[in-house]
Amino acid sequence: MTRSLLSNAVMIGTMGLFGLGALTSCGTKATNAATPSSSLATDTGPLPTIEAQLTDAPLVPAPITRKKPAKVIVRLEVTEVVKKLADGVDYTFWTFGGSVPGKFIRVRQNDEVEFHLMNHPDSKNPHNIDLHAVTGPGGGASATFTAPGQETVFNFKVLNPGLYVYHCATAPVGMHIANGMYGLIMVEPEEGMEPVDKEFYIMQGDFYTKGGFGAPGLQPFDMEKALDEKPSYVVFNGSVGALTGDNAITAKVGEKVRLFVGNGGPNLVSSFHVIGEIFDKVYPEGGSNTNTNVQTTLVPAGGSAITEFKVDVPGNYVLVDHSIFRTFNKGALGMLKVEGPDNLAIYSGQTTQKIYLPEGSTVQEMPKSVSPLASVATNKDMRVDLGRTLYAQNCQACHQAEGQGIKGAFPPLAKSDFLNADVNRSIGVVAHGLEGQIKVNGEVYNSTMPKLKLTDEEIANVMTYVLNNWGNKGGEVSLDQVKKAKLSYKH
């Protein structure tokens, strides 16, 4: 049966930790694209040689179905590349394979691995690799010190099954890891892994930039922040938004999902949680023991966990670090989008909506936003650019990345008749907050909009950004317009 790389990578019919072989969703035996059955070792002959299939997050390689060990060739190139850390923010990442996290490696217990580490000639630094799956000095670090333009090779036998972190261990080790030099290697047990429908690769990391969250431009590494363990960003898969919008992972109702979760650190422990789901099974710290019915699992820096769960109802499920300010203020937010029929016996959705106004009810105020954006907009395009970051910091958690809102809770900003009918009213809502019932695009909402402590300049920028996205009417909000709207606002 022919499969695309994507379908192989998300494992339609993969194998789980202690199962006996896997069936595809079509009922046929799954095969490893990199392992033709004709190359399997005999009891007396030499090990077959296999070129490892490596993938970028959130994809994982095809499942291993062979019943014998093999000699697996792994080739991993180190590159130092400038890539997006957040909208309008770039960073020089040091990478295994051109992305953060590094390539996902999948091997089988008792395989013999021939590991090639190549350091691109354009690199400015020497690098090496410490694979936690390796039994031997430095996990391979002592054998792989590799200068720019050089290649080193070493061999190891994988003895212990589990999910392991790998990272650079060249001095200063913390700086190499903080710049993105980490990834995961899965060592499947000899008996294979239980079948699931989808598998994904998710790895958290903390980043330390000179500018605060959202400060635009190419940001340098800040050693003082790293030593103080005060990251500017905490993200999944190397950047803010790497697992949201078009980049969200997907599944269908009734499917079983497995997440290979790693934490590169270098400093923070992750409290990994999927909002609206309970992990049926967790392999804590990537080992062989299991916990069941888990809400949140700790993933240590330099560690991992495997989580499994069945999705029963459709909707958007938010992946978070439940040290929750990291999620809504530093970027550790992802999305699993599930499609399929409703199951009202499990989840009804909202059944009643009515006004509840206890005595003393009042609009809350958000804490003062300390904006990293020192620039003052001189034109509409600049307002849109500055407003994009402000939106991510202050609005996205409720109104969502594409302005779609959350049904029954937070009104949409996309094609919003409430917004487009009266921009000055919307400016007043941002400045003063709003409580009570409103109708947006034909639906009634009765939630509270907190008062955002933004400057007039910031309000002009974020409103201009919203007006010029998601099917809204466009235009520019000026500083004078904000000042007048604030004074005239009544609700």
Side-chain angles (χ1 to χ4, degrees), residues 69-131:
K71 179 179 180 180
V72 181
I73 311 297
V74 177
R75 305 179 195 275
L76 198 56
E77 183 187 45
V78 173
T79 57
E80 300 171 5
V81 294
V82 175
K83 300 186 74 171
K84 171 185 169 182
L85 179 57
D87 285 338
V89 184
D90 290 328
Y91 190 79
T92 302
F93 294 94
W94 300 351
T95 76
F96 289 110
S99 61
V100 178
K103 303 284 188 181
F104 195 101
I105 306 169
R106 195 167 197 162
V107 294
R108 180 184 181 272
Q109 186 181 10
N110 291 319
D111 280 348
E112 295 180 8
V113 177
E114 179 181 299
F115 198 98
H116 296 244
L117 187 69
M118 297 88 72
N119 193 353
H120 194 279
D122 291 342
S123 295
K124 295 179 173 59
N125 304 278
H127 300 285
N128 64 9
I129 191 166
D130 169 4
L131 300 109

Side-chain angles (χ1 to χ4, degrees), residues 129-452:
I129 191 166
D130 169 4
L131 300 109
H132 291 187
V134 169
T135 300
S142 61
T144 55
F145 184 83
T146 312
Q150 298 295 307
E151 176 180 352
T152 56
V153 182
F154 82 110
N155 295 73
F156 64 95
K157 186 173 184 177
V158 282
L159 304 177
N160 303 91
L163 181 64
Y164 299 95
V165 167
Y166 65 79
H167 61 86
C168 187
T170 302
V173 178
M175 181 177 180
H176 283 248
I177 297 174
N179 284 338
M181 299 198 75
Y182 44 76
L184 292 179
I185 176 171
M186 178 67 207
V187 182
E188 293 197 15
E190 289 181 317
E191 64 271 25
M193 300 181 71
E194 295 177 354
V196 296
D197 298 292
K198 295 287 182 68
E199 287 184 331
F200 298 104
Y201 172 21
I202 297 167
M203 199 159 189
Q204 183 171 315
D206 28 286
F207 289 86
Y208 302 82
T209 59
K210 287 289 185 184
F213 184 93
L218 179 62
Q219 288 294 316
F221 170 74
D222 190 318
M223 179 63 83
E224 185 174 352
K225 285 184 180 178
L227 292 172
D228 290 340
E229 301 186 6
K230 294 181 178 179
S232 310
Y233 296 85
V234 184
V235 299
F236 296 134
N237 290 0
S239 67
V240 176
L243 289 171
T244 62
D246 292 339
N247 300 318
I249 57 177
T250 61
K252 294 181 179 179
V253 167
E255 289 186 326
K256 187 174 182 180
V257 176
R258 177 181 291 135
L259 303 180
F260 295 108
V261 184
N263 183 8
N267 290 321
L268 302 184
V269 173
S270 174
S271 301
F272 185 74
H273 175 73
V274 177
I275 298 175
E277 269 297 343
I278 297 165
F279 302 136
D280 300 325
K281 187 183 293 185
V282 172
Y283 297 85
E285 300 180 11
S288 299
N289 295 325
T290 59
N291 294 332
T292 57
N293 301 322
V294 176
Q295 60 187 314
T296 301
T297 190
L298 293 177
V299 187
S304 65
I306 303 172
T307 72
E308 298 174 359
F309 54 96
K310 179 184 174 185
V311 286
D312 296 298
V313 295
N316 293 334
Y317 294 82
V318 181
L319 286 59
V320 303
D321 180 340
H322 218 297
S323 298
I324 207 71
F325 279 100
R326 298 176 188 171
T327 291
F328 295 118
N329 298 85
K330 295 196 173 185
L333 184 148
M335 188 77 70
L336 167 64
K337 295 183 177 180
V338 178
E339 296 182 346
D342 290 323
N343 187 335
L344 300 182
I346 293 177
Y347 183 76
S348 71
Q350 186 180 81
T351 59
T352 304
Q353 179 175 282
K354 57 185 179 181
I355 296 174
Y356 173 67
L357 294 175
E359 185 176 354
S361 176
T362 186
V363 173
Q364 293 179 318
E365 290 191 8
M366 294 292 285
K368 175 67 175 177
S369 171
V370 180
S371 173
L373 303 174
S375 302
V376 175
T378 57
N379 55 56
K380 173 183 164 183
D381 289 342
M382 192 172 180
R383 286 205 188 280
V384 170
D385 287 341
L386 295 174
R388 180 181 294 109
T389 299
L390 288 164
Y391 181 85
Q393 288 179 273
N394 296 279
C395 314
Q396 183 170 304
C398 295
H399 295 290
Q400 301 296 290
E402 301 299 323
Q404 69 268 35
I406 298 176
K407 188 175 179 63
F410 303 108
L413 299 179
K415 299 180 180 178
S416 168
D417 54 7
F418 182 91
L419 167 67
N420 290 295
D422 190 341
V423 174
N424 290 331
R425 175 180 59 187
S426 297
I427 293 170
V429 170
V430 173
H432 299 293
L434 173 66
E435 184 163 328
Q437 193 174 88
I438 62 171
K439 183 179 284 189
V440 181
N441 295 350
E443 291 196 29
V444 175
Y445 292 85
N446 197 24
S447 56
T448 297
M449 166 74 179
K451 178 180 180 180
L452 299 180

